Every structure is written in structure tokens, then in C-alpha cells.
Amino acid sequence: MAYVAPAPAEVEEVELYHAKSFITKYVFSQDAKVIAIQYSFTAIAIGVVGLVLSSMMRLQLGFPDSFSIIDPADYYQFITMHGMIMVIYLLTALFLGGFGNYLIPLMVGARDMVFPYVNMISYWVYLLAVLILVASFFVEGGPTGAGWTLYPPQAILEGTPGSGGGIILMLVSLIFFIIGFTMGGLNYVVTVLQGRTRGMTLMRMPLTIWGIFIATILALLAFPALFVGGVMLLLDRVLETSFFMPAIISMGEQLEYGGGSPILFQHLFWFFGHPEVYIVGLPAFGIVSDLISVHARRHIFGYRMMVWALVAIGGISFIVWAHHMYVSGMNPWFGFFFATTTLIIAIPTALKVYNWVLTLWKANIRFTIPMLFALGFIVTFVNGGITGLFLGNTAIDVPLSDTMFVVAHFHMVMGVAPLMVIFGAIYHWFPLMSGRMLDETLGRIHFWVTFIGAYSIFLPLHYIGFQGVPRRYFEMGETNFIPPSVQDLNAFVTVVAVMVGFAQILFFYNLFKSMSSGEIAEKNPWKAASLEWQTPEQPPAHGNFGDELPVVYRWAYAYGVPGAKDDFVPQDMHPDEVGGEGAHEASKE
Amino acid sequence: MGLFSQLAEKPWTPEQAAIDDRHKGVEFSLTTPQFGLRVFLGFVTVIFTLFVVVYVERMVFADWKPMPEPWLLWVNTAILVISSIGLQWAWVSADKGDADGVKKGLYLGGVLAFAFLTGQLLVWQQLVVLGFYASSNPASAFFYLFTALHAVHLLGGLVAWGRTAIKVKSGMDMAKVRGSVELCAVYWHFLLVIWIVIFSLLLFT
Ligand code: HEM
Ligand SMILES: [Cu+2]
């Protein structure tokens, strides 16, 4: 077919805010790239706090008699803060606020987010939420020890550590987080739908953007449930309403509460909590698809199917929440329904895994560090996914509920797996963000220590869980059903965990050193086809694309196009320049 | 073209490329602020829907006692309706380029919104006098919660309203304020609907 490319230009220009002073350029900045970096630094900083807390817990679990750094109350508080920080303040904020802000405008060909001012406020509200969370460590009674699920009634009753100021600050912090997130989320959704450049149809968007986009929609639908639960729990705590609180006799005394339903809170919490897994998961799926495609020099296998799977997973994730509540005394039919939906969601998920593997099949794989982390992700995700299938079945879940097996499962699937993607993504996009490469050797050491370490930590926990060791226990003491081997394993796990924790110093050292003195990155070092690498400057300047916005002629996966002069064709290269027959044949095989 | 039919496109084929190259990169024929507001309203709708679901679930428990329904609430409702009409008037006038109508409609809407909020405070006061505190029974707890949340949203709307009113007062070009006036009106109507849902919930349960 004779193809005539349309004349370029006629991309509608937007008015761009130009910062005038240092403060508005780097502190109260409205540039999504700066906001992204602010989000990332804050999220990683609080994430390190979460990591330190986990080491303290591990020391206790591994050597219950040798350390007296923490007492049982501390242990509860540390679990709670660790879980909350990792899931919400680190992963959610980093994937959406960090990667979302950096990549959406660049990858869809926009100069910035559509509401830059709101976007800026979003970060500052998030920072406020983090500060409130941190403040709860310093109030009387310390942070809440209710568990990251914050189940009433115990979450707000005296006797639970941090039931004073701690739980109040926790809830207030969550409410602020949600407000801040909503402001960001509004930007991500509207920018993706309304702010793309000419020629960038939805189905030409890189999967990274699809993942972040669907995850944002999920978040906008799921966070309201946490908001509602949080506000009502706060009122129960502060004004002694009884939304969730049943009649309670505490130490021989009848409390003011009565009539409320704790199970109602559980429903609200998990209506948020399960989609939350995918709010973290979908951006990871998207990013890893792109990492694999770029570093294997191959178009992603089954692009459309990958998009459909993202949409399907997003939809189904709203009807599986009660698989977290099998032991709450629910009607067996109810359990049956949720077990079925849970198994159904495995289908699109498995599809994605097949497509990643098929993309790699006979591809020209380059074992760069991002590729290593991407492979690490696939393996870990499959691992955690399979134990998820076990736990999704009511009959298997009931005995395993609240054991270390569950801890092992969710750390694999939503702890280690997304972290692998985050590391991979940082190694991949660092040259774009800073103009310099990260050190290769340090990176390889970092990968292997983290990967092998993560398995040494979490594989044994599956076994420990099978032996019946419950989660959220400060110590087991002399428990006759638990064999001594468990204690040895626990000690081993702790030693590895502390080592892996320290190994991350290597990563931070690499980051900071490379930022100032790393090897200067050549333009588009990975030879990627997507738009973010095609900016006139690297790192991209304010406004991203210089004088004229790019015009897009193909999808982001044009690798190995026959006859083209290079082995990849950037999305915005005019068909006449491509050479060969490759103009639009892209990488159809 | 619908979102779903797009999902069936094959972006890698030359036929599709010829179509795609002409795509403007915009999905909906709304301005960015219009679209942003709709997304935000979607989010708020989810929040209020969940509250209503929880309300209905909580109602079935034994300790539920219906609330008194102060007649003042009817007055407040009427005020909010007129406030919405005021903003509608401003919107229609803005479309016609009638600056005077915009001004009148906008002021009427805003002042009545403040009146509504004052009225709500009076209702709270009446209830407290009657001995209905937030912790007295679940129905009154929900009532305080719903009215407070609704009021917070209205206050947020009044901030946007204030900024629009300043623009209008300074005699800015009608074509430029039209967008803001429209957003305010849409938001006001939305909050009116929310209020009517809350109020009916109170009346019928
Ligand atoms: C070096 C990495 C990590 C280590 C060593 C670690 C260790 C632990 C330990 C020891 C517990 C408490 C188990 C118990 O007694 O019940 C725990 C709980 C938890 N962790 Fe991690 N963790 C790590 C990373 C992560 C990450 C990245 C996430 C993000 C999803 C995460 C999410 C959670 C959650 C949600 C809980 C449950 C908290 C609760 O029971 O309330 N962890 N972790
Ligand atoms: Cu779940």
C-alpha cells in the first residue's frame, strides 16, 4: 500500500509554566520531572526506615534470647509501621508518584502533566502524610501496633500499643495520603487520556504507561474505601461513635461502645487492600514488559493481550477482596465465590507471564542489569503467584491463615517482585534522569546479593509457616509442635536479612557516586524506541521536547525492523527516514 | 470511537498506522479542566456510595434508632436548590456573553451556599440541644459525618467560586471566565444531588 505520511506539526501547543526563581524551580516546582524525583527520594527515605524496622524484627525472631533491643510492644509497632510504610508510603508512592510523574509526560509526548499546580500540591500533601507518620514514632505510647490492617476493635482499644496518639496520627496520615494521591491521580489519568501528542493512540502507548494508567484508575476507585474506613475508625476512636465497635467489656468495665460491626471494617479495608496489591503490581507489570522488550531487542509478544490482561486484572481485582477474610466466619458460599474469582484472576496474570517468556524466547537477550532484575522479577512473581493459588483455596487457606507461610507468600509477590522491578527501572532510566550511567560491576553485585538474598530470606519462611509458626508473634518460646530446626532456620534468615539490608548501601553508594562522577551516558544508551529517550537533551529539559512536540508514527516496540538502518525505530522517526521496507511494517514477523 | 473498540486495534499493521498517524492524541472532546472535574466527581461519588453502603449495612443492627428530622433541613434544601439555580443562571448567561447575568447568578449562588452552610450549623445546634451527639447512636453519627463531609466539599467549591467571582468582578473577558463558571455550576449541581441522596436517606430510614 502506498503510504503517504501526513504533514507533521499541528500538534496543539500548551501554555507552560516557567519557573523564575530557584525555589519555584527546584523546591515548589511544577515540573513533573522534579516532582517525580521529590516523590522518589521521600518514598525511598521512608522505605529505608521500613527496612531498618524489618531488620530489628528479624533480629528478634532469629535470636530471641540474645537481643533485648525490642520488647513485645515494640515488635507489634514495628510490624505495623513496616507493613504500612512498605505497601503505601514506599511502593504506591514510588510507582505512581515517582515513575508515574517522570514517565507519563515523557512517554506520551507531553510537555508536562495537565494540572501542574495540583501536581505540585500532591507531592507536598504526600510529604505531610509521611511527616505525620514519622511523628507518630515520637508521641507518647509510640506508633500504633494494630497491624497494618488496623482491624477494630483492638486497633483503637487500650492495651494495643500506640492506642493513644499513635493510631490517631496513623489514620490522619492515611487520610492525607489519599488526598495527596487523588491530586496526583487526577493528573495521571487526564494526561494519559487528553494530553498525548499527535499520533499517540492509546494502543501505541508503551505498556509502562498502560500499567500506571490502569493502576491509577484502580487507586482512584479503591482508596475511597480506605478513606471511608479510616474516617469512621478515627471517629470511633476520637468521638466514641460505634461504627465498627461492638459492645465491649474491658477489664471488667463496660465501655461506651456498642452495636457496631468490626467485620464491616474488614470488608472496607480489603475492598481497598486487594486492589492495592495490583496498584503496586500493574505498574511493575508494565515497566517489566518494556525492560524485557528493550533489553531483548524484540517487540513485546502479544501487545494487545498484555493490555487486555491489565484491564481484566484491574476489573477482577475488585471482586476478590474477601479471600483475605476466609477465617472471619463467613458463609461458605461466600467463600466459594471469592475462591472462584481469585482463581479466575490467575488466568490473565498467567497470560502475562507466558507473554514475557515468549518475548524472551529465542530473542537477542542482553544481560544488562535491568534485564537481570526483570528476569528476577519473573521468577519471583511466578513463585509468589503459585503460593497465591494455594492460599486462594479456602480449604488450604484456613490452616495456613496467619502463619509465616502467608508472610512468605506476600513478600514474594508484592515485596520482592515489585522491588526487583523498581531496581531494574532505576538502572534503566537513571541515564535518562541524570545523564550518567550507573556503575556496572557494583550493579551486578547488587543484583546477585539482593536476588539470592531475597530467596534465602523468604523460601525458608514457607517451610516455617508449614510447621505452624504464626505470624505477628514476638517469640515462640517452648512450643512443642515446633521442631528445633525452625529456630536454626530463623537464625539463618536473620543473618541473611541483615546482610541484604546492608548490601543496599552498595546501591545507594552507586546512585550518589554515579550522579556526580559516573560515566557520561551516550544518547539513548539502551537504544530504546519509546519517546522518553528521543528528547533533544538528556536529561530532558523543562518542557521535555524542545521547540516542537514529537509526532508519533508507530508503537514503542519497533525492534529488529527488516531493512531499517538501525535495529530499532524510534516512535517519532518519520517513515521516510526509516529506510528499507520498514516504515510501517514495524516488527511484524 | 469507543474506548473498547480501540482495544481491538492492531497498532503494528500499516492499515492501522495510516489511521493512527492522524490521531490527535486526545480521547474526549472536553477541555482538560472539564475532564479533570469529571474524574474528580467520579472519585467523590465512589466515596459517598461507599458511605451509603456502610450506612445501609449498619442499619440492620439492633441498636439502630431513627433520627429526628428538623424542619430546618427542608429550608436548607430549598436554599441549596436556589443556589444551584443561581449558578445555572450564571452559566447560561456566560454562554450568551451576558456579563450582568453572570455576576448576578454567581453572587446569588455563592451567598446562598454560605446561607446553606449556616443553616446546617443551626441544625447541628438544634440536634445537640435535643441531646443527639455523634456518639449517642449510629444514625446521628452518620448524620454528623455526612453533613460534615458534604459541607467540606461545598467549602472547597466556594474557594473555586471565590476565584471565579474575583475574575468576574475585575471585568475579565466573558470567553475567559466561561469555563470557570461552568465548572462551578457542574460542581454545585453535583453537590445538590449528593445532598438530596443524603437527605432522603435520613427521611426514609
Ligand atoms: C528486606 C526485606 C524485608 C524483610 C526482611 C521483611 C521482614 C518482615 C517481617 C519479619 C515481618 C513480620 C512478620 C510477622 O511477625 O508477622 C514483615 C511483615 C510485613 N512486611 Fe516485610 N520485610 C521486607 C520487605 C517488605 C516489603 C518490600 C514489603 C512491601 C510489600 C513488605 C510488607 C510487609 C507487610 C504488609 C507485613 C505485614 C505487617 C503486618 O502483619 O501487619 N515487607 N516483614
Ligand atoms: Cu487479595
Side-chain angles (χ1 to χ4, degrees), chain A residues 270 273-275 277-278 320-321 323-324:
Chain A
W270 288 113
H274 188 83
V277 176
Y278 290 100
V320 300
W321 79 88
H323 63 209
H324 297 276

Side-chain angles (χ1 to χ4, degrees), chain A residues 1 3-6 10 12 114-115 117 178 182 185-186 189-204 210 219-229 231-232 235 239-245 256 258-261 264 267-268 271 303-304 307-308 311 551-555 575 584-588, chain B residues 2-55 57-59 61-63 133-146 149 153 163:
Chain A
M1 185 182 115
Y3 172 76
V4 189
E10 41 162 316
E12 231 176 285
V114 288
F115 310 119
Y117 182 75
I178 295 169
T182 309
L186 218 59
V189 171
V190 181
T191 306
V192 168
L193 285 177
Q194 302 290 85
R196 284 165 287 140
T197 189
R198 170 80 186 278
M200 180 63 92
T201 60
L202 289 179
M203 294 306 273
R204 278 177 171 180
W210 269 106
L220 288 175
L221 295 172
F223 272 121
L226 183 65
F227 182 85
V228 167
V231 167
M232 292 179 28
L235 293 179
L239 297 180
E240 301 202 337
T241 54
S242 297
F243 292 116
F244 302 127
M245 299 296 280
E256 290 281 336
S261 162
L264 207 54
H267 281 295
L268 281 173
F271 187 74
Y303 172 84
R304 286 196 304 168
V307 173
W308 296 342
V311 175
V551 177
V552 169
Y553 297 101
R554 59 190 65 76
W555 67 349
H584 275 280
E585 286 298 325
S587 45
K588 189 108 201 298
Chain B
L3 283 180
F4 276 97
S5 55
Q6 284 191 39
L7 290 180
E9 286 170 6
K10 296 180 177 154
W12 55 86
T13 62
E15 296 75 29
Q16 186 62 43
I19 302 170
D20 285 354
D21 285 354
R22 289 174 170 75
H23 194 280
K24 286 245 184 332
V26 176
E27 275 327 303
F28 300 94
S29 56
L30 292 169
T31 65
T32 316
Q34 281 172 336
F35 193 70
L37 179 68
R38 279 163 183 71
V39 176
F40 178 67
L41 295 188
F43 175 77
V44 178
T45 308
V46 179
I47 290 194
F48 276 101
T49 309
L50 284 167
F51 270 121
V52 171
V53 170
V54 177
Y55 182 92
E57 294 265 318
R58 183 68 179 78
M59 251 171 60
F61 290 96
D63 64 333
Y133 300 100
S135 57
S136 310
N137 74 62
S140 57
F142 271 110
F143 180 77
Y144 285 109
L145 178 59
F146 284 168
L149 270 174
H153 282 88
R163 295 173 55 156

Side-chain angles (χ1 to χ4, degrees), chain A residues 309-333:
Chain A
L310 287 173
V311 175
I313 294 172
I316 306 173
S317 73
F318 280 99
I319 49 167
V320 300
W321 79 88
H323 63 209
H324 297 276
M325 298 167 59
Y326 287 149
V327 294
S328 69
M330 59 167 71
N331 183 317
W333 285 110

